[in-house]
Amino acid sequence: MVETLRPRRRFRQPSVIPGFGLTFGYALTCLGLVVLLPLAALVARASGLGLSGILEVASDPRVASALKVSFGVSLVAALVASVFGFLVAWVLTRYRFPGRRLVDAVVDLPFALPTAVAGIALASLYAPNGLVGEQLEKIGIKAAYTPVGIFIAMVFIGLPFAVRTVQPLIAEIDKEIEEASATLGATRWRTLTRVVLPPLIPAVLTGFALAFARGVGEYGSIIFIAGNLPYVSEIAPLLIVIKLSEFDYGGAAAIATIMLAISFLTLLLINLIQAWSRRRFGYV
Amino acid sequence: MSETLVPASFAAADRAAAPPASVVTEGGSVRWLLTGVAILFLALFLVLPLVTVFAQAFAKGFDAYLAAFREPDAWSAIRLTLTVAAIAVPFNLVFGVAASWAIAKFEFVGKSLLITLIDLPFSVSPVVSGLIYVLLFGSQGLFGVFLAEHGIQILFALPGIVLATIFVTFPFVARELIPLMQEQGTAEEEAALTLGASGFHTFLTVTLPNIRWGLLYSVLLCNARAMGEFGAVSVVSGHIRGLTNTIPLHVEILYNEYNFVAAFAVATVLAGLALVTLVIKSVLEWRYADELASGRAH
């Protein structure tokens, strides 16, 4: 019934505002030349290798171990970043303490600080003779030049994602439902775990996925602290750089394709979580 | 603040109308513990590295710090970084405004796909962002032979560095302006047009004032990333000293030569930029929260 009332479907709905053709065309041209064309070059190179070619590169022990380090360590780092990110977001939105705004601004530091600068700072802090590295050494933990160092760098750059995705949702929680829960006799712990936390889970998962994706692709803040020992602390992005310096464009493209495929799956997962969240809780 | 620390029964007795604070928050000691852990974690993981940059830069005194800037290579790196940002940021500014005008002010098919594609560079590893330009313009790349025949240098030169920088900073302006302009709707522009203003005049006098703080906010973040980008630029630059090294690449070279004081000294330039960016960003968030895209106010 409604269908018959609708005007004929067209690409763009009519509007009195001018400039659609110009701005849309310009934006599309930029997008095509700067983003889509270069990415197409990668797709072309990867499809030239074929699935078997890509799998062959991935089965090389050094590549396989670099992928394992990148994805494995990033998973653990994203987990830790999510837990502490949630804590930081909760403290920043729910509690009032002196210097709260300063602490809030500090959370964005990894966004603002160039990765190379963060990288050399972390490396010198966690080196065996560094301020923190020395203390860790005493309790038997070697941080720099091991996967532990990679983990530290990934937590550093993943944290803001974890904080900033849950923070606005914590701020929006309706305190009346907490009061209702308390009135009905629930302890504070029970209110938190049964009433407050469940609607926040999608946001926590989104933050986790963002931190994970960022950790997998991260390069600058990791390479200085990682030591880059093949089979031990060599990350996949570094291997792409090494392949390129050997003019092995195919190998570099294959590793990049595998990384992109997994990042794409992560993004898809985020979208699914958000769609589920919209159905379940009515918001993202 | 102080009232939440008083036991609930007293608070209730004092202010009969207000609900007891303790019902919707944790006990005082738990609050202090959680706050302490959060601040300690941030101090250890985020603030300490920043402090280290300055501590290491001045570890051997002020003269040693200044010596890093007597190198001509340092200045050519600073010049190159400024040049790259001076091209990449305006490019993304114009793109971002055009894209958000088309997306926010009009309804068309495939809009969400377009937004996803604009966001794409954020989910690509910096190294891969550099790699795709190598695959396009490198000696074995798609246009490699053509470029070599015509003597055009893109890779290992300014154009390649600029392109890689534009790619990694591509979504910054658009993703801030799109939600902002969508929130503001089209009523004001329609009113201006009805009163006889031209399209361009409407944009300058109606739209631009509405988005100015959002624009400044996004340009600020875009610029910080453009000047600090390492991975993508490192792949396309070729690391030619004094020629294609940006500030972050210069820092890397100094560090790898064990010239730590100089590396951290040059790094303070970028760390200073990051601090200035954070301060202006925070001020914008506090003062103009309503005029930035939603979700920023906290």
Side-chain angles (χ1 to χ4, degrees):
Chain A
M1 286 311 280
V2 186
E3 301 302 315
T4 53
L5 295 174
R6 247 195 225 151
R8 189 171 56 88
R9 283 196 69 153
R10 53 174 99 196
F11 169 62
R12 175 171 77 86
Q13 286 176 21
S15 163
V16 294
I17 294 179
F20 178 77
L22 179 71
T23 54
F24 183 78
Y26 180 74
L28 213 57
T29 311
C30 289
L31 180 72
L33 288 179
V34 174
V35 177
L36 300 183
L37 177 69
L39 281 174
L42 175 66
V43 174
R45 177 67 70 153
S47 57
L49 292 168
L51 190 63
S52 59
I54 292 174
L55 288 179
E56 198 185 305
V57 174
S59 62
D60 173 67
R62 191 171 168 191
V63 176
S65 113
L67 286 170
K68 218 179 289 171
V69 168
S70 274
F71 285 99
V73 177
S74 186
L75 204 64
V76 181
L79 206 66
V80 171
S82 297
V83 171
F84 281 95
F86 184 85
L87 174 69
V88 170
W90 182 264
V91 166
L92 283 176
T93 32
R94 276 313 188 81
Y95 305 157
R96 292 290 170 271
F97 53 93
R100 188 181 61 91
R101 283 185 159 181
L102 182 70
V103 176
D104 191 277
V106 161
V107 171
D108 280 331
L109 195 63
F111 280 155
L113 196 66
T115 54
V117 177
I120 61 169
L122 289 172
S124 88
L125 263 181
Y126 289 90
N129 59 352
L131 201 60
V132 184
E134 212 170 14
Q135 304 306 318
L136 288 176
E137 200 104 311
K138 278 180 193 155
I139 55 171
I141 302 173
K142 270 183 68 71
Y145 322 128
T146 69
V148 178
I150 302 177
F151 163 80
I152 290 165
M154 283 178 174
V155 171
F156 174 85
I157 59 150
L159 191 73
F161 292 97
V163 177
R164 296 301 184 217
T165 33
V166 283
Q167 202 174 7
L169 284 184
I170 295 179
E172 272 173 28
I173 295 174
D174 189 354
K175 287 203 176 160
E176 282 175 13
I177 61 166
E178 287 174 68
E179 284 168 14
S181 167
T183 319
L184 293 170
T187 60
R188 182 64 188 159
W189 176 248
R190 199 171 154 84
T191 303
L192 279 182
T193 51
R194 304 299 291 273
V195 177
V196 176
L197 273 183
L200 295 176
I201 288 174
V204 174
L205 288 176
T206 305
F208 170 82
L210 287 173
F212 171 69
R214 179 69 205 264
V216 169
E218 180 55 23
Y219 176 71
S221 56
I222 296 176
I223 52 162
F224 297 99
I225 195 175
N228 310 323
L229 298 167
Y231 304 102
V232 179
S233 59
E234 196 173 53
I235 52 168
L238 178 70
L239 214 50
I240 294 180
V241 174
I242 293 174
K243 295 264 180 207
L244 274 181
S245 67
E246 293 165 350
F247 294 100
D248 180 5
Y249 284 16
I255 302 173
T257 309
I258 297 167
M259 286 175 58
L260 276 182
I262 300 179
S263 305
F264 179 73
L265 286 178
T266 317
L267 276 184
L268 196 70
L269 195 69
I270 295 177
N271 283 332
L272 287 177
I273 293 169
Q274 289 181 342
W276 170 73
S277 161
R278 255 193 297 272
R279 275 200 311 276
R280 175 76 174 71
F281 302 108
Y283 59 84
V284 182
Chain B
M1 159 109 205
S2 56
E3 66 196 313
T4 57
L5 294 175
V6 187
S9 51
F10 287 115
D14 278 353
R15 296 154 19 105
S22 67
V23 170
V24 288
T25 188
E26 292 72 52
S29 51
V30 177
R31 272 208 309 274
W32 287 115
L33 181 73
L34 292 180
T35 311
V37 171
I39 291 178
L40 197 70
F41 180 83
L42 291 177
L44 187 68
F45 268 82
L46 305 192
V47 180
L48 199 55
L50 181 70
V51 174
T52 303
V53 173
F54 290 94
Q56 294 278 356
F58 292 102
K60 299 233 167 73
F62 197 62
D63 280 342
Y65 175 81
L66 283 182
F69 297 100
R70 284 192 207 107
E71 285 281 318
D73 286 352
W75 285 105
S76 71
I78 292 173
R79 259 198 312 274
L80 179 61
T81 293
L82 291 176
T83 311
V84 170
I87 304 172
V89 174
F91 179 92
N92 281 335
L93 171 69
V94 174
F95 162 76
V97 171
S100 39
W101 180 269
I103 289 172
K105 302 290 180 194
F106 300 93
E107 290 302 324
F108 57 90
V109 180
K111 192 192 261 192
S112 55
L113 176 71
L114 186 59
I115 297 177
T116 309
L117 289 178
I118 291 173
D119 264 348
L120 205 55
F122 272 168
S123 44
V124 174
S125 164
V127 171
V128 178
S129 312
L131 166 76
I132 54 179
Y133 286 100
V134 176
L135 294 178
L136 214 52
F137 302 121
S139 53
Q140 308 167 33
L142 281 182
F143 302 135
V145 177
F146 174 85
L147 291 173
E149 274 172 2
H150 293 76
I152 305 169
Q153 185 84 11
I154 291 186
L155 224 51
F156 314 134
L158 182 66
I161 300 174
V162 169
L163 280 172
T165 306
I166 289 178
F167 182 91
V168 293
T169 55
F170 196 68
F172 272 101
V173 179
R175 76 151 29 178
E176 166 70 23
L177 290 189
I178 291 169
L180 183 64
M181 281 165 78
Q182 275 176 336
E183 245 171 72
Q184 289 170 347
T186 54
E188 289 182 31
E189 280 82 6
E190 280 162 6
L193 291 163
T194 320
L195 293 172
S198 72
F200 189 62
H201 194 215
T202 304
F203 172 75
L204 278 187
T205 52
V206 177
T207 313
L208 206 52
N210 277 339
I211 60 169
R212 62 192 162 167
W213 297 116
L215 206 58
L216 179 63
Y217 185 92
S218 59
V219 164
L220 195 72
L221 296 185
C222 181
N223 179 63
R225 180 73 195 267
M227 289 192 169
E229 177 53 28
F230 177 70
V233 170
S234 147
V235 170
V236 296
S237 105
H239 296 87
I240 307 166
R241 268 196 107 131
L243 216 57
T244 64
N245 275 335
T246 58
I247 304 178
L249 297 180
H250 188 60
V251 169
E252 181 200 19
I253 287 181
L254 291 172
Y255 189 85
N256 287 341
E257 286 172 349
Y258 301 101
N259 194 350
F260 294 137
V261 170
F264 281 102
V266 177
T268 55
V269 175
L270 293 172
L273 174 76
L275 283 178
V276 170
T277 303
L278 275 188
V279 168
I280 303 178
K281 173 177 173 294
S282 303
V283 170
L284 288 177
E285 282 170 1
W286 298 335
R287 292 203 49 190
Y288 303 105
D290 305 342
E291 295 175 58
L292 299 175
S294 60
R296 288 277 157 56
H298 43 248

